[in-house]
């Protein structure tokens, strides 16, 4: 179990789906930052299910409490403990699934790895675990924004077969993203995505999709080659989000089909800095940010828990038919948007601190 | 600069392209393993350039020396230092590129991040850095094979537009892979790939591609949720390889288009264990290996250094034309095969050790 | 701020003296361990102030809640979050000391390092921070006891000038230690210690002392040379406890005066293992446990906060007289006993897990 | 095996006593530092045996080579690999000790932990392992000196019963320390120490001792509470040196006998900063440097390998008489002086980088 992420700005999350609470401890947060629970709550609300017909209507209404590390509205530089109580601490809906590992879920692997697993819900593999990430990420992105003007914006770029390619990465903001329930700012694609999700729901089925993310105003020089290249850290962060199956940066998999003469990003003077004309690199060269916008995409599989009956085996190997009860998200990507943003912010702030260490610029905050 | 990878089986690489040598220190290697330089040399030879017309003909002929940690052909459990001397320690070929950052190369970002950079060659961003990875990975895969029967096999699955889809992941081995210079075991695709690389070379251009990898006989239970899920560690490892732009596991990006009812992998009894009928999960569920084959793909961009003239800017922002001299790989994916294998082995062995710790099975080796 | 301790069994503590709560997250705890809040509470109660006239009479009455990681009385292998609410969340007693950094306290250094500090109490330097350590240590020692029969017992071996040298390390247990309020099992020394503390209290002054600790039944082979030698980890752990000034293991500082022929511990067969006749080594040779009892001592300075007036300077450099109000421990060593035990247990369990990893004995818990 | 020390300035050492070479990889070294092999050689020469009649006369004559990370006399910010070849790669002197674990040496524990050990010499527990530390420390102290004016000076403060208490910590420098072969700058104690060592040598015996160290001009604000308090890191570093048994900082163990009113260090304005009148704290309060001189002492046991016959047991438990052949240091403390300095410098520079990260002062070197 590795529940800590980051080298200097370190986040440790805790909590199963039905224990007393979930949360995180953020260690290494710089001191003297203005911070309130409301700064964190904003992103938690975007992560919450039940925001629209797109997602499950369990009303979680999670409220975060800051337990430590903040006094009189400012960070002390000490660990910030964040807690969100679980309301449904012992529901029965999942009980009859105990003997049958849900296909493509974590029931089987948790049982194998630990020899025990949470009696109900998904335990640590539950989406509720991401609450701690989003809360911690909200702190990171506040520092990034206030100190460096960095903007991190994610959106839904695909739902099933529906792909959004009419999004302007230079202009997009969170308000625009939240303009549709499906969090896709492409006006042509959004209604089609909504329809696709509704159709899957009507079929008691689920749908995968993609989340894209852009990070603007990132200073050049972030990333720690050779093993902690910035894209390697982003890939690690994104593939640690539940239900993810892929990560690509800049030109990504499509770029493998290009020749170097087309793929290379020529340098050109941009104001007082050297920039690039194109950005197939996705803002990172040699594992280090180059000052251009960082952009990447994350693949999410269709949720494993579906209402449709599936033929599978129980833990004893006997063939059974399994149909999930209760309500489940037919598509997680709209809710994954703030999670992707959070993980990106955690990576960037940690990279900022590591580069600042190297530069030994100042020893007093 | 983070040059260490792994939690318990830890690899630290060192060396630039033109310093006295490159290598690695492997810390945490279990004791009493039979190990000789030849075990390591084998994979180094596969990584070496100049193996065919497919790759650059610089004859590196790198020979690894074991400096410590091994005595009388067995590991002591102490750090294993590995050194490969550089032959060309100060060539002049790159000199005139010093004032011009090569497009999509690491010249600009290294200079910005460190305020200094290696005077010639790519410094740490050079492909020579991967020698240390391959050497360390060879040790890891020997342990994995001898102790658990784990097999790690990678191959070239795409070069430019040419995609190999006739590869049997259950049967493929390294001998088959090495059957063609392009390291693609698909008899239809391999000649087309070779032709594509030759064409790019004739045009003084370069080509991207993909490397696929399968890990068989991996025991269930590996991976450390929530942040060190096995796929997250693999993604981190792969995106730390030079020139990579993407990672996908199992169904990957294509899986985002499926519905859950098609994507889920139903359980079924397989001999004495519970297995899955399909393997869209790629051998990992909830971040933990499930006993099925782990398979993933890595995207490599076309090499940035090309002989064709490119219009770009020098460090002062002045427009210049740049054409690389010397010989350069038009396509790196054949040589990337052992690097992908090495990084996969490093991830798997580290995960084995972490899981063994949890189980507290034995305190004497 | 580094609030995490350990490599595989990792403890992250949080909380200031007057925020909503203090606690810890324990990550990497092996699964399937029987665990209840009561297992933890026992050591917390021993740490609590107000147990006798020896210590401050603030009635903290701290009760620990397990927030996650335990279900139906067993650990899940997931992070265990532990919370102890603070009762006095914003007292005023310390307010007038805000402008004057208390001599030999952390007020000045926290202000300098962070540019801000907790408005009252000692913030993270407060003794309340150790609650998280003791809670986590209680989990570690339960595993050590149940799995390996390891016993960790600490006691007060000096208070000021009074030194206890009539303690039998082979026989001592916690019940004996708790037989006197001063936690010294030497019947001659204990009353003298009590008297010395009372005298210091009457003088509105404070007293230092020493805590000794023995760890019995520790298997040979623990410790990770060269930098994580077992004694190095113990020294790190002990010197991270507030108010400590020294650590010595085995013969310690006195051993520097011996010749090798007297200091060396000759080997001798002991039942089915090789043991040593003497134990100047303190149970560790070459950084690795040798199967003999591990024993060490920790020096605690007199508490910095005293009621007597002291001439010092305020933050502006002006000379002032400072006398602490409220009640303060005249001597912390009796309460430090469970803290030393906790830190020792954390070191030992982490070392057990690291050695188990090396041995790759089992991959299923 | 943990052969890496440090969080941001990370040192990994490698090498046994009789393998091809010993050395270190320094990762995280800031770029653009002027550095030559001679900067490193100076401290290696001080560590070398055979400098006087005080120490073993094996002429090691170790010369360090910089393999990577430095170009044209300046650091690149990339890993610096350092190698010192072993001359005596397979001597036979130790051979007959193979069946008999040397008392208080690491033979038994290495064999138990790893199930194998170096066939001759002390393997990783050999003093030769410290070569890598001293080499890395020399780099660290150069940065500390050039950038912050920090001075690290250690000296021999006790040999056996002879204690040096006439040393002025504010004035002492390395030249003065090296003024006597025993590296004790107390003119009264030095000759007595020399005589004591000679007497032990004549008796084919060995002697312990103490090394003291002062670090001047350390800026306030270093150290990472709560677990990486500066004294905890120093204790960890010092107890990782072979043959150490204790560490104390400031008033240390003697301070436990004082009352708080005497022990506290009152604040007073010193030029433009707040300082303290006394320095019982040893320059650290609450785990953070306060701007005063840091001073501490390290206890070294008498070397385990002695020429005198000892009655002990072989690995089979049979009683045997063992007398070491060859020449051995009767007292290691004079040679330990540069090792203590090296480890102190590693701790301080790492603490500087961690504090600089927090302050986010600059992102360009």
């Amino acid at each position: 179990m590795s529940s800590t992420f980051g080298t200097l700005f370190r986040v440790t999350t805790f909590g199963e789906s039905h224990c007393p609470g979930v949360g995180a401890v953020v260690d290494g947060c710089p001191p003297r930052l203005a911070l309130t629970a409301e700064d964190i709550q904003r992103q938690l609300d975007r992560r919450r299910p039940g925001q629209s017909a797109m997602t499950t209507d369990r009303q979680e209404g999670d409220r975060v409490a800051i337990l430590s590390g903040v006094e009189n509205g400012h960070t002390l530089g000490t660990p910030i403990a964040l807690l969100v109580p679980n309301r449904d601490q012992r529901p029965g809906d999942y009980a009859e699934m105990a003997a049958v590992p849900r296909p493509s879920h974590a029931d089987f692997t948790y049982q194998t790895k630990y020899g025990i697993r949470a009696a109900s819900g998904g335990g640590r593999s539950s989406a509720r675990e991401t609450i701690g990430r989003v809360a911690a990420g909200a702190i990171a992105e506040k520092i990034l924004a206030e100190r460096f003007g960095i903007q991190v914006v994610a959106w839904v770029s695909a739902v099933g077969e529906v792909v959004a390619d009419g999004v302007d990465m230079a202009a997009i903001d969170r308000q625009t993203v939240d303009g549709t329930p499906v969090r896709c700012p492409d006006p042509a694609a959004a209604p089609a995505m909504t329809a696709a999700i509704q159709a899957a729901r009507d079929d008691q089925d689920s749908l995968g999709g993609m989340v894209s993310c852009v990070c603007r105003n990132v200073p050049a020089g972030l990333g720690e080659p050779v093993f902690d290249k910035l894209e390697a850290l982003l890939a690690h962060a994104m593939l640690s989000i539940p239900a993810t199956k892929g990560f690509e940066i800049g030109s990504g998999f499509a770029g493998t089909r290009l020749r170097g003469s087309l793929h290379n990003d020529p340098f050109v003077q941009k104001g007082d800095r050297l920039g690039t004309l194109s950005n197939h690199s996705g803002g990172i060269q040699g594992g280090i940010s180059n000052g251009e916008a960082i952009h990447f995409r994350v693949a999410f599989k269709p949720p494993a828990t579906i209402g449709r009956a599936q033929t599978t085996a129980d833990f004893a190997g006997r063939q059974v038919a399994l149909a999930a009860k209760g309500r489940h998200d037919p598509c997680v990507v709209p809710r994954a948007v703030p999670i992707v943003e959070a993980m990106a912010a955690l990576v960037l702030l940690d990279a900022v601190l590591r580069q600042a260490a190297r530069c030994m610029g100042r020893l007093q905050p």
Side-chain angles (χ1 to χ4, degrees), chain A residues 74-96:
Chain A
H74 287 82
T75 60
L76 293 170
T78 61
I80 303 172
L82 303 164
L83 180 64
V84 174
N86 282 331
R87 292 214 213 155
D88 270 352
Q89 296 194 8
R90 288 289 175 268
D93 260 12
Y94 300 86
E96 68 187 275

Short mmCIF file of all heavy atoms in Angstrom, two decimals, chain A residues 74-96:
data_model
loop_
_atom_site.label_atom_id
_atom_site.label_comp_id
_atom_site.label_asym_id
_atom_site.label_seq_id
_atom_site.Cartn_x
_atom_site.Cartn_y
_atom_site.Cartn_z
N HIS A 74 -4.24 30.99 7.40
CA HIS A 74 -2.95 30.88 6.71
C HIS A 74 -2.27 29.56 7.05
O HIS A 74 -2.36 29.08 8.20
CB HIS A 74 -2.03 32.04 7.08
CG HIS A 74 -2.45 33.32 6.44
ND1 HIS A 74 -3.45 34.11 6.97
CD2 HIS A 74 -2.04 33.93 5.29
CE1 HIS A 74 -3.63 35.17 6.18
NE2 HIS A 74 -2.79 35.08 5.16
N THR A 75 -1.57 29.02 6.07
CA THR A 75 -0.83 27.78 6.31
C THR A 75 0.37 28.07 7.21
O THR A 75 0.99 29.13 7.13
CB THR A 75 -0.33 27.17 4.99
OG1 THR A 75 0.55 28.10 4.34
CG2 THR A 75 -1.48 26.84 4.07
N LEU A 76 0.66 27.10 8.06
CA LEU A 76 1.77 27.23 9.01
C LEU A 76 3.05 26.58 8.48
O LEU A 76 4.10 26.68 9.11
CB LEU A 76 1.41 26.56 10.34
CG LEU A 76 0.28 27.21 11.15
CD1 LEU A 76 -0.13 26.30 12.30
CD2 LEU A 76 0.72 28.57 11.68
N GLY A 77 2.95 25.87 7.36
CA GLY A 77 4.10 25.10 6.88
C GLY A 77 4.15 23.72 7.52
O GLY A 77 5.08 22.96 7.27
N THR A 78 3.15 23.41 8.33
CA THR A 78 3.07 22.11 9.02
C THR A 78 2.03 21.25 8.29
O THR A 78 1.30 21.75 7.42
CB THR A 78 2.67 22.34 10.48
OG1 THR A 78 1.38 22.97 10.51
CG2 THR A 78 3.67 23.25 11.19
N PRO A 79 1.95 19.97 8.62
CA PRO A 79 1.04 19.09 7.85
C PRO A 79 -0.41 19.54 7.94
O PRO A 79 -0.92 19.84 9.03
CB PRO A 79 1.21 17.72 8.52
CG PRO A 79 2.44 17.79 9.32
CD PRO A 79 2.70 19.23 9.64
N ILE A 80 -1.06 19.57 6.80
CA ILE A 80 -2.47 19.94 6.73
C ILE A 80 -3.28 18.66 6.63
O ILE A 80 -3.21 17.94 5.63
CB ILE A 80 -2.73 20.82 5.49
CG1 ILE A 80 -1.83 22.07 5.54
CG2 ILE A 80 -4.20 21.21 5.41
CD1 ILE A 80 -1.89 22.91 4.27
N ALA A 81 -4.02 18.35 7.70
CA ALA A 81 -4.88 17.17 7.67
C ALA A 81 -6.28 17.58 7.25
O ALA A 81 -6.83 18.56 7.74
CB ALA A 81 -4.92 16.51 9.05
N LEU A 82 -6.83 16.83 6.30
CA LEU A 82 -8.14 17.14 5.73
C LEU A 82 -9.04 15.93 5.91
O LEU A 82 -8.63 14.80 5.61
CB LEU A 82 -7.98 17.43 4.23
CG LEU A 82 -7.00 18.56 3.89
CD1 LEU A 82 -6.62 18.51 2.42
CD2 LEU A 82 -7.62 19.91 4.25
N LEU A 83 -10.26 16.15 6.39
CA LEU A 83 -11.16 15.04 6.66
C LEU A 83 -12.53 15.29 6.07
O LEU A 83 -13.11 16.37 6.25
CB LEU A 83 -11.29 14.82 8.18
CG LEU A 83 -12.22 13.68 8.61
CD1 LEU A 83 -11.70 12.33 8.14
CD2 LEU A 83 -12.38 13.69 10.13
N VAL A 84 -13.05 14.29 5.38
CA VAL A 84 -14.43 14.30 4.88
C VAL A 84 -15.12 13.07 5.46
O VAL A 84 -14.78 11.94 5.09
CB VAL A 84 -14.46 14.26 3.34
CG1 VAL A 84 -15.89 14.12 2.84
CG2 VAL A 84 -13.82 15.50 2.75
N PRO A 85 -16.06 13.27 6.37
CA PRO A 85 -16.74 12.10 6.95
C PRO A 85 -17.53 11.34 5.89
O PRO A 85 -18.08 11.93 4.96
CB PRO A 85 -17.68 12.71 8.00
CG PRO A 85 -17.15 14.10 8.25
CD PRO A 85 -16.52 14.53 6.96
N ASN A 86 -17.56 10.03 6.03
CA ASN A 86 -18.46 9.22 5.21
C ASN A 86 -19.84 9.23 5.86
O ASN A 86 -19.95 9.05 7.07
CB ASN A 86 -17.95 7.78 5.13
CG ASN A 86 -16.80 7.61 4.14
OD1 ASN A 86 -16.70 8.35 3.16
ND2 ASN A 86 -15.94 6.65 4.41
N ARG A 87 -20.88 9.39 5.06
CA ARG A 87 -22.22 9.33 5.64
C ARG A 87 -22.73 7.91 5.71
O ARG A 87 -23.17 7.43 6.75
CB ARG A 87 -23.19 10.15 4.78
CG ARG A 87 -22.88 11.64 4.85
CD ARG A 87 -24.14 12.42 4.75
NE ARG A 87 -23.88 13.68 4.05
CZ ARG A 87 -24.78 14.36 3.39
NH1 ARG A 87 -26.02 13.88 3.28
NH2 ARG A 87 -24.48 15.49 2.81
N ASP A 88 -22.67 7.24 4.58
CA ASP A 88 -23.13 5.85 4.53
C ASP A 88 -22.01 4.95 5.01
O ASP A 88 -21.20 4.48 4.22
CB ASP A 88 -23.44 5.47 3.08
CG ASP A 88 -24.87 5.77 2.73
OD1 ASP A 88 -25.65 6.11 3.63
OD2 ASP A 88 -25.20 5.64 1.54
N GLN A 89 -21.97 4.71 6.30
CA GLN A 89 -20.80 3.99 6.76
C GLN A 89 -20.92 2.47 6.64
O GLN A 89 -19.94 1.77 6.61
CB GLN A 89 -20.41 4.43 8.17
CG GLN A 89 -20.00 5.91 8.17
CD GLN A 89 -19.30 6.34 9.44
OE1 GLN A 89 -18.98 5.54 10.29
NE2 GLN A 89 -19.08 7.64 9.57
N ARG A 90 -22.11 1.94 6.55
CA ARG A 90 -22.27 0.49 6.40
C ARG A 90 -23.52 0.13 5.60
O ARG A 90 -24.47 -0.41 6.15
CB ARG A 90 -22.35 -0.21 7.78
CG ARG A 90 -21.05 -0.25 8.54
CD ARG A 90 -20.05 -1.22 7.89
NE ARG A 90 -18.76 -1.16 8.56
CZ ARG A 90 -17.77 -0.35 8.18
NH1 ARG A 90 -17.90 0.44 7.13
NH2 ARG A 90 -16.63 -0.35 8.84
N PRO A 91 -23.56 0.42 4.37
CA PRO A 91 -24.75 0.09 3.58
C PRO A 91 -24.73 -1.40 3.22
O PRO A 91 -23.72 -2.06 3.29
CB PRO A 91 -24.59 0.93 2.33
CG PRO A 91 -23.12 1.03 2.16
CD PRO A 91 -22.51 0.97 3.52
N GLY A 92 -25.88 -1.91 2.83
CA GLY A 92 -25.98 -3.33 2.53
C GLY A 92 -26.03 -3.65 1.05
O GLY A 92 -25.98 -4.81 0.67
N ASP A 93 -26.13 -2.62 0.23
CA ASP A 93 -26.36 -2.85 -1.19
C ASP A 93 -25.36 -3.81 -1.82
O ASP A 93 -25.68 -4.57 -2.72
CB ASP A 93 -26.29 -1.51 -1.94
CG ASP A 93 -27.68 -0.98 -2.23
OD1 ASP A 93 -28.64 -1.53 -1.64
OD2 ASP A 93 -27.80 -0.02 -3.01
N TYR A 94 -24.11 -3.70 -1.35
CA TYR A 94 -23.08 -4.48 -2.00
C TYR A 94 -22.96 -5.90 -1.43
O TYR A 94 -22.19 -6.70 -1.92
CB TYR A 94 -21.73 -3.79 -1.85
CG TYR A 94 -21.67 -2.41 -2.45
CD1 TYR A 94 -22.06 -1.30 -1.74
CD2 TYR A 94 -21.19 -2.23 -3.76
CE1 TYR A 94 -21.99 -0.03 -2.29
CE2 TYR A 94 -21.11 -0.97 -4.31
CZ TYR A 94 -21.51 0.14 -3.57
OH TYR A 94 -21.44 1.39 -4.11
N ALA A 95 -23.70 -6.16 -0.35
CA ALA A 95 -23.42 -7.37 0.44
C ALA A 95 -23.42 -8.64 -0.38
O ALA A 95 -22.55 -9.49 -0.25
CB ALA A 95 -24.40 -7.48 1.60
N GLU A 96 -24.40 -8.77 -1.25
CA GLU A 96 -24.49 -10.06 -1.92
C GLU A 96 -23.44 -10.25 -3.00
O GLU A 96 -23.30 -11.33 -3.55
CB GLU A 96 -25.90 -10.27 -2.49
CG GLU A 96 -26.23 -9.35 -3.64
CD GLU A 96 -27.70 -9.51 -4.01
OE1 GLU A 96 -28.01 -10.42 -4.79
OE2 GLU A 96 -28.54 -8.71 -3.50
#
